[in-house]
Every structure is written in structure tokens, then in C-alpha cells.
Amino acid sequence: MATAVAIGISPPSAASTITKARGISPGLLDDALNAFDRHRAVIQHRDYIGIADFSLPSWKPRFHIVNLEDGQSRSFLVAHGRGSDPAHQGWLQRFSNLPGSSATSSGAYLTGSDYQGQHGLSQRLTGLDPDNSNAAVRAIVIHSAWYVSHKMIDDHGKLGRSEGCFAFDEADLSAVMSRLKAGRMIYAAKPA
């Protein structure tokens, strides 16, 4: 289940729009907004941004969607890749951009088109940084997964792991995809 939070804003540019966001590390928020400004030329829609805080464990809502127009944010559960957490402890240990790594990659992503895949409705992503430049080749996408739910946390204390994709609870997928339609940015990192 998503959590909604209001944040302070003051227009006009992304870097100066959001002054603080409860639940999002200030350093991570700054990094995400700097990436947003750095990749502004390829970001077609500047109303929402997704921010994944992989310093948090998988049992916490750590994927934040921030509305850059009104300052509202919602937080969701999201899985990380099994190659990022080989011992399956629920914490992301490392990022990788290597094909076959099954790991999560850090950096800025551009959201692309929707399609029907092996996990049902999914959304393509393009890596915008050197640390995630293989996202399309690796088929890193947004999709739902049975192993992402509050029941999974209740039963196992953590979420399952993806192959590096941003996997969400099926109940949250439409809320995520409706806000992060094609041409928007996602930023993933593990702040200190």
C-alpha cells in the first residue's frame, strides 16, 4: 500500500522546486533533482519523478513518486535485483550494469512505452547514465511481481528479488505507471 506525503515546493526549476520531502533522504533528493536537470533535454514530461532509495531495506516503502507541480509524494514497495543481494537478506549490497548480473543498476532512467510481457503489463526503461547504460539490453523494466507485497513481508520479513527490474506490488502497478508514463525520469541510488 502506498503512503502519501506532502512536501514543500516553490516554482520554477526542478532543483529549486522541492525544498524537502519527508521520507526521502535530502542528499538523494538533491542528486535526483540534479540528474533531472542534467537530463532535461530528453525528459519530455516534467510533472512527476520517481526516486528509488536503495539504502533502505526491501520491507520499507522506498520508491517515491514526487509530483513536481504540487509537491505531493507517494511511496511504494519495490524489489531490487537478486544479483544485488546474493544472500537474500533484504538489503541491496551492490549495483551492476553488466548483462547477466541480475543486479539493480543505479542512475537516471527514462520511462518508455508499455507492453504486455511475461509479468503482464510492463514498461520499458532506458538508462541515461554510464552506470545503467545497459538497461534496455538487459530488459530492465517496470512490472508487477507476486513476491512484492505486504503479505510477503509478513510471511518472510522481506520482499523477493527481481532480475534487476523495478518490481512492484500488483495492487500498486497502475498508480506507479499512470504517474510515470513515457518520457518521465526515475532515479535510483543508495545514499550513504
Side-chain angles (χ1 to χ4, degrees):
M1 179 174 285
T3 308
V5 178
I7 57 178
I9 62 168
S10 61
S13 83
S16 66
T17 299
I18 301 173
T19 57
K20 66 178 185 173
R22 202 166 12 136
I24 304 174
S25 154
L28 176 61
L29 183 60
D30 288 345
D31 290 347
L33 294 175
N34 287 334
F36 186 88
D37 284 339
R38 189 171 61 250
H39 297 294
R40 180 175 286 278
V42 298
I43 301 169
Q44 297 166 311
H45 303 285
R46 298 179 181 101
D47 49 358
Y48 289 98
I49 183 175
I51 303 174
D53 183 351
F54 286 115
S55 69
L56 297 174
S58 69
W59 57 87
K60 298 278 190 187
R62 58 187 180 169
F63 189 92
H64 313 284
I65 298 179
V66 180
N67 183 325
L68 297 175
E69 295 174 352
D70 69 9
Q72 295 293 310
S73 70
R74 290 185 68 185
S75 300
F76 303 88
L77 294 172
V78 68
H80 55 255
R82 63 183 172 88
S84 292
D85 180 12
H88 198 194
Q89 297 176 338
W91 294 87
L92 184 140
Q93 302 296 318
R94 66 180 187 91
F95 291 110
S96 178
N97 190 33
L98 294 175
S101 68
S102 298
T104 297
S105 298
S106 62
Y109 295 82
L110 184 67
T111 59
S113 60
D114 299 352
Y115 69 99
Q116 286 292 328
Q118 73 180 55
H119 297 284
L121 184 61
S122 303
Q123 185 175 22
R124 291 179 176 86
L125 297 173
T126 301
L128 299 176
D129 291 323
D131 290 342
N132 64 7
S133 59
N134 289 325
V137 171
R138 295 179 59 210
I140 302 303
V141 301
I142 292 172
H143 65 77
S144 66
W146 62 269
Y147 51 80
V148 180
S149 69
H150 288 281
K151 180 167 181 4
M152 180 64 73
I153 295 168
D154 292 344
D155 292 348
H156 301 283
K158 59 188 172 261
L159 299 180
R161 299 165 297 168
S162 70
E163 297 295 307
C165 293
F166 293 89
F168 292 91
D169 186 325
E170 185 176 357
D172 293 333
L173 187 66
S174 80
V176 171
M177 289 179 68
S178 69
R179 287 164 179 80
L180 296 177
K181 291 180 181 177
R184 290 166 176 84
M185 195 190 90
I186 293 173
Y187 186 75
K190 183 178 180 181

